[in-house]
Each structure stands twice: as C-alpha cells, then as structure tokens.
Amino acid sequence: MARLDEDLAPDVAAAARHGVMSGGKRLRPILCATAYRACGGNGHEAAYDLAASLEMIHGYSLMHDDLPCMDDADLRRSEPTTHVEYGEDVTVRAGAALIPAAARQALESARRLECGEEGAHAATQALLEAAGAGGMVGGQWLDLEGEGKSLAAEELDGLHRRKTGALLTAALVMGAIGAGADESVVSALARYGRAIGLAFQITDDVLDATQSAETLGKNPSDADLDKSTYVLLYGLDEARARAQRQVDDALAALESAEIDEPVLTALARFVVEREK
Ligand code: GRG
C-alpha cells in the first residue's frame, strides 16, 4: 500500500486504503498465513505480506461490487461504501490500481519465502487465476447475469465456487506453496478451501435471510437484488445442514493429509458459526 500512496493521486490512494483497510474479518489473509505455518514455513513477515495481496484483491472486489453499476450498495462493514465516500470515478480507479499492485505484492513477498523462484511464480499465478475470469470476475459476471432468474443447484454452486470459493482456496494454496509444501498437501488444502468456500457462501445466504442490514453492516440484501440463494433453493434447515457437511469435508481433507493445525479446524467451524 505504501507504493500506491506514492503512485496515486491522494484521493485515489485514500479510496484504495478505505476499501482495503476499513475492517472486515480478514479471512483470506488469515487462511494464507495459517496454511503457511501449518506447512512448516518460518518466514512469517514475508508470509504476512503475501497474505496482504489477497486482501488487496478482496478489497478491490468489494469496492467495485458496491458500485451503482453492480450491486449499488451504500453500506459495507457498517460504514459508507467507498464510492459514497470518494465518488464513483475515484473508486473505479482505486480498485483498478489495486489489481496489479496485489500481483506485485504477491510476487515480491513470495520471493522472500522458502519456495524459490518457481514457487513464487506459482503462488502469484494462483492469486491471479482465482481473481480472474475463470474465478472471481467470472463468478461475479454470472451473479449479475443471474439476477431475476432462478438458478439450478449446479449453476449456483458453479457461480459461488468462482465468485467466493476461488479466492479462499487460493489463500490456502498460496500459503502452502510459499512454505514449499508437497503437492499432496497443497491439494488437500485446496480441497479444504473449496469446502469452506461453499460453506461460507451457504452461510452468507442464511445470514442474509435471517439478519438485518444493521447487524450485517451491509446492504442491499439478496432479496432486494432478486438473487438466487441456497436458502431459496433448499430452505433454511437444509441450507444449514449442507454448510455443515462442507465443514465435515474440509476437516476430512485436513485429516487425509495429516495436517494437524487447530486454527484451520477452528476456521472451518467459524465459517458456519459466524454471526456476520
Ligand atoms: C467486472 C464482472 C466484473 C467483476 C469485477 C466486482 C468483482 C470483480 C468481483 C466481486 C466479487 C465479490 C463481491 C465477491 C464477494 C465475496 C464475498 C462473500 C464477500 C464478503 O466477504 P467477507 O464476508 O467480507 O469475507 P469482509 O468484510 O469480512 O472482508
């Protein structure tokens, strides 16, 4: 973020800072740093820098998602959204600047880890693929196109695997690659990531249907936007049960690779037990 402060006009830099630094659960960087530690990594400062690249992508995605041409939200993390605070033009520029800045952040910090040049490239590639058209951007596109339609279960799963699941999975893969983990451990963590990604989204839909905008600190709701949700598809009880089954699968993935990291176990549970 420091270099962005130098390169950008002050209002654009302030908007980027607002989008990335204004709270949030920090789930993606926590997953990355925890996977790194679980795989035996010991260069923690660079690992945190690598983890920050995920929050830069996540922050930009929320800033752009909230714009009037997308979800048109004025409340995020219980604060006015970035475009409400800084204007649409500034928010578009700040979000766009964050994408290459995140790629640079990922590559430079991964190079300081024990994964070598090849691993640094692989970690950066994991971030960019998850953020791109095959991942988050593609998922967002499907989400916008799906408004006002009833999506089938496979369509909803596909949308959310890309929109939400891809970046959560990349967080784990990046941490594991950064620590120089074996392929089998990287793929077990990817399976854990896909499972908690789906559990996270199902829970998001449950919270959206059961909590107020004030409690969640964001608007508009899925119903306001006429979006397909897991709650509409399955009802509240079955949606909760499906989220729990994904948590069970995430824990089984850890066990299959003998990854004994209590924080990953706790995070899988947190994903479905959270209140916002
Ligand atoms: C041009 C089509 C197109 C896309 C641009 C805007 C965009 C890219 C992508 C948006 C993707 C998006 C909004 C994903 C949301 C995922 C999600 C569940 C967000 C909420 O995550 P939390 O709960 O948020 O981790 P906090 O506030 O805790 O960080």
Side-chain angles (χ1 to χ4, degrees), residues 11-35:
D11 57 343
V12 184
R17 207 163 264 287
H18 180 271
V20 177
M21 309 293 276
S22 62
K25 294 180 285 298
R26 304 296 193 221
L27 184 56
R28 294 148 192 84
I30 291 170
L31 286 168
C32 180
T34 308

Side-chain angles (χ1 to χ4, degrees), residues 24-25 28 58 60-61 65 70 77 136 140 163 200:
K25 294 180 285 298
R28 294 148 192 84
H58 175 58
Y60 119 76
S61 80
D65 184 48
M70 296 211 203
R77 297 168 170 169
M136 187 183 73
Q140 173 76 349
K163 182 179 153 186
F200 182 91

Side-chain angles (χ1 to χ4, degrees), residues 22-28 55 58 60-66 70-71 76-77 131 136-144 163-164 168 200-201 204 218 274 276:
S22 62
K25 294 180 285 298
R26 304 296 193 221
L27 184 56
R28 294 148 192 84
E55 200 66 7
H58 175 58
Y60 119 76
S61 80
L62 299 183
M63 291 157 74
H64 279 193
D65 184 48
D66 290 335
M70 296 211 203
D71 280 1
R76 166 80 64 185
R77 297 168 170 169
M136 187 183 73
V137 166
Q140 173 76 349
W141 183 259
L142 294 172
D143 193 32
L144 293 168
K163 182 179 153 186
T164 313
L168 290 167
F200 182 91
Q201 187 58 51
D204 233 44
K218 61 180 181 181
R274 69 202 166 99
K276 60 193 282 190

Side-chain angles (χ1 to χ4, degrees), residues 110 115-124 177-178:
C115 56
E117 189 63 17
E118 207 180 310
H121 281 207
T124 308
I177 291 175

